[in-house]
Amino acid sequence: MDVQEIIGLTAAQAIAAIERGDLDAVELFSAYRRRAEEDELGAFTWVAEHLPADMHADGPLRGVPLAVKDLFCTAGIPSQSGSKILEGYLPPYTATSVARLEHAGATIVGKTNQDEFAMGSSNENSAFGPVLNPWDRTRVPGGSSGGSAAAVAAGLAPWALGTDTGGSIRQPAALCGIVGLKPTYGTVSRYGMIAFASSLDQAGPLTRDVTDAALLYRHMVGTDPNDATAVGHPEEIRLPTAERLDGLRLGVPTELTSGEGLEPGVLAAFEATLETARGLGATIEECSLHSAPHALSAYYVIAPAEASSNLARFDGVRYGLRREADDLVSMYTGTRHDGFGAEVKRRILIGTYALSSGYYDAYYGRAQRVRTLIAREFASVFERCDLVVTPTSPGVAFELGAKTADPLAMYLNDSFTVPMSLAGIPAISIPCGLSEDLPVGFQLAGPAFSENRILDAAHALERAIGFDGSPARTRTGATS
Amino acid sequence: MNGGGMPSDGTERGAGGPAEVASYEPVIGLEIHVQLRTRTKMFCSCPLSFGEPPNTHTCPVCLGLPGSLPVANAEAIHYGLMIGLAVGSELAPRSIFHRKNYFYPDLPKGYQISQYDEPLCSGGRLGEVRIHRVHLEEDAAKLTHVGSSGRIHGSDASVVDFNRGGTPLAEIVTEPDVRSAEQASEWLRLLRTTLRQLGVSDVNMEEGSLRCDANISIRPVGTTQLGTKTELKNMNSFRFIERGIRAEVARQEALLRAGETVTQETLHFDPRTEAITSLRSKEEAHDYRYFPEPDLPPVRITNEMLHRARTAMPELPAARETRFASVLGLNVESARLLSWRAELGDYFEAALDAGASMHPPAGAQPLANWISELTARHDGDDPADSKVTPQALATLVGLVGSKKLTQGGAKQVLDRLVAEGGDPAAIVDAESLGAVGGADELAPVVRAALEANPDVAAKLRDGDMKPIGVIVGYVMKETRGRADGGEVTAIVRAELGL
Ligand SMILES: [Zn+2]
């Protein structure tokens, strides 16, 4: 096979080709390794220099290369979470989810760029530079898993691992025209994921199609003696086969889709997809998530609060950056002043304030009550609907620098993805069309542990939509 | 709280003001940190450390490496439940861990995982002191400051040993029920005994597996309002606790008598100089920004866990005290002493088992008394460390019980046992310390005594028994204490035909 043929394969197709003997796992790895090395998008922070000695080509994933977001700890491989404070940090251990995938036969081809500590929606907060959107290099890929999304969309990796705290898998997947699944909180171990907001962080796949998402996720789920919040999945994750949506009830939450802040092109693509769903036999009904408009405020209290505590360990004492000083406090402040970027500092300040004595109830306490309300409202919606659907992001990929001066405008990117994060429920983003020649994402969310249902519905829609992602692989990306 | 620390009606007492308060009473609450003797640390699988080379018992979790997560130790929760059962706490079916946030090099995550407003155990009582709560948390790492200052400020360098970091701790907080330094140390001995009996900790203060802080305030006797309290930190022996509390109570009383006020602050007691110095005042107190630890699900106590904890409970001091009193017939003081100080109780029971000739309850109380005699002579807490075996003490008590040895003779034998060990019966024979008894042996001595004291003999014949002590004393001297006073008196009466 030539490189273009290889790059044209999804991961599942590549596995099938290897099993048929039409493709060699080493050849596949080398092709992607070379493309990743020639990356012009800033998608990678580290690329493998050679094939790893312990490649598990016998596993069900047949050695297929995998791009891994920087914040996953990988033994002996830089794991920096997009931050200067961890520049060059080599962990002594590998994250459980990554280790599981390696055991199943995935081979790490590179670590991908991200917003620093996963805080951002454009990948412009990385200490290692921005990532360019392969559909238009003047635009952002979304964030925080921007490197993973751009790498998969541009064909620099067949698939990638990302993490989603408030939309960090789904939003970049939408902006790059690929599939991104945020699983039910607790189905995948968080051990070895450099924490942003512990009660929200969840690992998930970024892939070229829904089948690949199911395949990668299937090998990630499970309990973990090292993560007390990892409960695994009650069902085996199936590869989706559905082609119809007969009898499926899709709820459209009016609070989220009433149009405010939603780009007309995105709304048009969303509504066209609803028509497609109807054509496949689904029923569409309006539903209500009264508290959803408050989700973003609650999220931007809870996540920074947890982050302010999670990031306290970066003190220069044991690892990472250290600014020598005459006394302890100066060493602390010098290290953190130089090591953290502006957005991280902003969130540490917000979170510290929200947890302070005298403000806890007004901020953190209230935000947790909103979170409980949202979870309840979802539960009540799911009594009448099988899935909730929304656009993934209010707009298509924006130009680099367009929102960096306005944090609130940036935060609004997450308004469709944050409610599901707060409720801990699974949601997927699939590409559903173009607006201004840029991809639009369609989000499907379901009750906790309904991944199989979500993947089936997304699979049927994907077939009917017939989105073509090849422009991002052919007209841009790596030169070879 | 009385902000000034002075009696609120102090200004109405006239010119002398608070200085006229006749006496103050201390109000003391204790916070005890107990290192639990689990196999592994509180939130990771590193084995606990007992003096191993620094930083050898560590892992990503207890080093606070990026991406690591805590998992609660089930054995520590089990031990926590046992402590709760021992003091009669209410055991929470659901308790949660919080993060206590502050920066310090001995705290690798920048926060300590501890229980906050929903602890494992609430309420309870041990002895006369009510328990406020018992909760679980992790210990900090060990900091050593190199250089002259001995503190982090001004030291040349500080080194951290993370072996101790993450060791499970139970924090036991009492209500302010303690009223004196002596009571504090006596109660802590009871607590230590209880924890030792439970087998949940080494409870060794010198090695830091039992550490005590005291919250101290004083108030005029007869009043009920609490004064401003200070917190005396980390006293690591019973003696230091007593001396530290006494010094702090004296300091507070001097302040109030001088018309000054007590400041709420954290204090350090230096046992060498008896100096009390301030660690930090309330103004610079930390805001720990407590919030529920999102990495740990709530601790849910199942019936099975409760059953397991109940089944594991040994006999505790209170139950032992009751058994000693009701079954063995010990008096109140002996029952308490032998149960609150487990090592004495264990020695006592070993001697009871060894003394086949003794028939409890008759022999039990004398044995208890002789254990007190032994501890008065032995230089150390545990009589088992002396040269006197429980078997030897049992034999000694048996000799006294069967009148083969008098009290005085037995004390001489005990002196020998403490010094050299050995078999009491052999010592009695070798030293001719056996009791002198019967008219055959004693009558000649009594006659000699009467002859030597004719005026006393005359009074006795006239029925005035007061000076009989002179005769008994004479006989005791002649027999080197081996005669029985009652028997001597009886022979005197017989000799005089009374
Ligand atoms: Zn450890």
Side-chain angles (χ1 to χ4, degrees), chain B residues 41 44 46 58-59 62:
Chain B
K41 292 187 182 181
C44 66
C46 290
T58 62
C59 73
C62 58

Side-chain angles (χ1 to χ4, degrees), chain B residues 400-411:
Chain B
V400 176
S402 59
K403 308 256 183 208
K404 292 190 178 114
L405 198 56
T406 63
Q407 294 280 329
K411 284 179 184 175

Side-chain angles (χ1 to χ4, degrees), chain B residues 69-81:
Chain B
L69 296 171
V71 176
N73 184 331
E75 196 183 12
I77 294 168
H78 173 67
Y79 284 172
L81 290 176

Side-chain angles (χ1 to χ4, degrees), chain B residues 41-47 57-64 162-163 165-166:
Chain B
K41 292 187 182 181
M42 185 68 221
F43 297 114
C44 66
S45 50
C46 290
H57 287 192
T58 62
C59 73
V61 178
C62 58
L63 288 176
F162 288 99
N163 283 357

Side-chain angles (χ1 to χ4, degrees), chain B residues 262-293:
Chain B
V262 173
T263 311
Q264 186 174 348
E265 58 189 337
T266 303
L267 303 170
H268 172 77
F269 173 70
D270 185 338
R272 283 172 305 161
T273 61
E274 303 256 326
I276 288 174
T277 49
S278 180
L279 288 175
R280 56 176 180 264
S281 69
K282 194 193 177 191
E283 287 70 48
E284 46 188 311
H286 287 294
D287 178 355
Y288 290 119
R289 292 177 285 119
Y290 280 101
F291 74 104
E293 165 60 283

Side-chain angles (χ1 to χ4, degrees), chain A residues 73 86 89 92-93 185 189-195 198-199 225-229 305-306 308-310 312-315 317-319 328-329 332 336 351-352 355-357 360 364, chain B residues 45 59-61 63-72 98-99 101-111 152-153 155 160 162 287-297:
Chain A
C73 285
L86 278 176
Y89 174 66
Y93 73 107
Y185 182 83
S189 168
R190 290 182 295 115
Y191 188 69
M193 272 164 53
I194 298 173
S198 312
S199 72
N226 291 316
D227 179 359
T229 64
E306 293 181 7
S308 70
S309 174
N310 283 333
R313 68 187 62 199
F314 302 105
D315 57 7
V317 172
R318 286 145 295 131
Y319 46 77
L328 177 69
V329 172
Y332 279 162
R336 292 168 68 83
T352 303
L355 290 174
S356 296
S357 142
Y360 181 93
Y364 191 79
Chain B
S45 50
C59 73
V61 178
L63 288 176
L65 295 192
S68 63
L69 296 171
V71 176
H98 272 66
R99 289 188 186 177
N101 296 281
Y102 63 98
F103 284 96
Y104 212 61
D106 63 4
L107 202 61
K109 299 187 293 297
Y111 53 86
I152 199 157
H153 295 291
S155 62
V160 198
F162 288 99
D287 178 355
Y288 290 119
R289 292 177 285 119
Y290 280 101
F291 74 104
E293 165 60 283
D295 289 331
L296 290 169

Side-chain angles (χ1 to χ4, degrees), chain A residues 16-99:
Chain A
I18 291 169
E19 287 174 347
R20 282 196 311 269
D22 295 343
L23 178 63
D24 179 60
V26 176
E27 184 188 356
L28 177 71
F29 183 86
S30 303
Y32 273 111
R33 199 201 69 76
R34 207 158 40 243
R35 281 179 71 80
E37 206 169 51
E38 290 164 2
D39 160 36
E40 294 176 347
L41 303 172
F44 287 91
T45 51
W46 176 86
V47 175
E49 283 177 15
H50 46 72
L51 193 72
D54 56 348
M55 177 179 184
H56 288 83
D58 293 345
L61 300 181
R62 300 290 174 211
V64 170
L66 174 73
V68 176
K69 190 178 184 179
D70 195 17
L71 63 68
F72 288 90
C73 285
T74 41
I77 295 173
S79 306
Q80 315 160 115
S81 206
S83 182
K84 193 176 168 188
I85 210 161
L86 278 176
E87 190 164 4
Y89 174 66
L90 301 175
Y93 73 107
T94 296
T96 301
S97 52
V98 177

